[in-house]
């Protein structure tokens, strides 16, 4: 069979599977944020752009400031074991 420069179906599938394994095994970035210190102000401003009557119009909102609150990490431990009685109507 002549080499047409294309992968055969089985070869393409093997290449795809190999690439998927390589991608799965590469180290990835953490899925969580590093964290922002409590008391840090975050300022957010929204903007919109549109054409009104053929003319471009852009508008910005007033800035909104959010202050990061401290979050306490709490572990909750069940102190009693056994059945819980529930009265339902």
């Amino acid at each position: 069979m002549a080499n047409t420069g294309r992968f055969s179906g089985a070869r393409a599938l093997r290449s795809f599977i190999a690439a998927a394994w390589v991608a799965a095994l590469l180290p990835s970035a953490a899925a969580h944020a590093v964290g922002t210190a409590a008391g840090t102000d975050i300022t957010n401003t929204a903007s919109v752009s549109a054409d009104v009557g053929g003319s471009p119009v852009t508008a910005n909102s007033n800035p909104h400031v959010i202050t990061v609150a401290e979050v306490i990490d709490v572990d909750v431990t069940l102190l009693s074991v056994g059945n819980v009685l529930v009265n339902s109507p």
Side-chain angles (χ1 to χ4, degrees), residues 17-86:
I17 292 171
W21 272 104
V22 169
L25 296 175
L26 289 175
S28 62
H32 60 280
V34 173
T36 302
T40 302
D41 286 339
I42 299 174
T43 304
N44 189 24
T45 304
S47 64
V48 63
S49 299
D51 286 333
V52 178
S55 299
V57 177
T58 302
N60 294 324
S61 71
N62 293 330
H64 183 74
V65 178
I66 298 170
T67 303
V68 176
E70 182 176 1
V71 176
I72 309 267
D73 214 4
V74 177
D75 290 327
V76 177
T77 304
L78 179 63
L79 297 178
S80 62
V81 292
N83 296 332
V84 176
L85 298 177
V86 178

